[in-house]
Amino acid sequence: KADGVLKGPVVGTVMSNLGLEHALERHGIEFRRAAVGDRYVLEALRETGGIIGGETSGHMICLDKTTTGDGMVTALQIMAVMKRSGKPLSELIAGMSRYPQTMLNVRTEKRMNPHDVPAIRDAVSIAEGELAKTGRVVLRASGTEPVIRVMVEGEDEHQVLSLAERLASVVAEAST
C-alpha cells in the first residue's frame, strides 16, 4: 500500500509459492506472475501499476522506494509494517502457508523448450489434472545451462514428489 491505498497487484514469478498467491487472495489482493528475473518483475510492476514484487530468491522491489531489488529497503519496509501494526514478524506471516514444492533439474543433451514436445505436454496435462486446484506444475528451460527445471507444488507433499519425479522422467526420456 502507498498512502494507505493499494497500488496495483503484487508481482511474483512463476516460481513464487502458491501459498503466497492464496494468502493474498484471501485478503483481496491481486497477484500476478512474471518470468524469473528482476527485470521481468519490474516490467510487470510497471505494466500493472504495482509497487511491490519479488522473487523466491528474496530479491524484492519496492517500486515506490527504488527500481532494483534491494535487501536493505525490503528489511526497512518490513520493520516499518511491524512498527505500525505492533505485531511481530511471526504473526504477520502466520496467514501464509508454504505449499510443499519440489524442483528437479533434468540435464539435457541440448537446449530445448519442454512445451514444444508433445509427450512432455501430455504428461504435464495429466499431472495438472491430478493436482486440480490444489497445486501447479512449472517446466522451464534454464537460461544458463542445458537443464529443464521441473517444479511441482501442491498441498500433498507425497503427491508433489511423485509427480515431479514422473515428469522429470518424461523430460529425460524426451531429451535423448
Side-chain angles (χ1 to χ4, degrees), residues 48-163:
T48 63
I51 58 170
I52 297 174
E55 296 194 81
T56 305
S57 65
H59 291 179
M60 297 298 300
I61 298 173
C62 301
L63 200 52
D64 59 336
K65 307 289 184 226
T66 183
T67 58
T68 60
D70 187 309
M72 189 64 76
V73 169
T74 301
L76 291 169
Q77 293 302 299
I78 291 169
M79 289 191 308
V81 170
M82 290 168 62
K83 182 167 174 45
R84 261 193 326 271
S85 70
K87 297 178 181 178
L89 184 58
S90 59
E91 189 176 331
L92 291 172
I93 66 168
M96 182 192 146
S97 298
R98 287 185 57 90
Y99 282 37
Q101 192 179 75
T102 296
M103 175 134 66
L104 301 174
N105 293 322
V106 181
R107 192 155 290 286
T108 59
E109 291 181 20
K110 59 182 189 297
R111 289 186 187 270
M112 62 181 258
N113 180 345
H115 305 290
D116 290 342
V117 181
I120 296 174
R121 279 197 315 261
D122 291 347
V124 168
S125 181
I126 290 167
E128 288 173 336
E130 290 181 35
L131 288 166
K133 295 186 185 278
T134 65
R136 63 193 189 97
V137 174
V138 176
L139 265 67
R140 69 180 194 88
S142 166
T144 58
E145 56 187 328
V147 166
I148 302 298
R149 302 197 194 289
V150 176
M151 191 277 292
V152 178
E153 98 184 316
E155 293 175 351
D156 182 307
E157 187 171 7
H158 297 293
Q159 181 186 35
V160 164
L161 181 57
S162 174
L163 290 173

Side-chain angles (χ1 to χ4, degrees), residues 106-108 112 117 119-120 166-176:
V106 181
R107 192 155 290 286
T108 59
M112 62 181 258
V117 181
I120 296 174
R166 187 178 347 147
L167 288 170
S169 177
V170 171
V171 171
E173 187 175 312
S175 68
T176 55

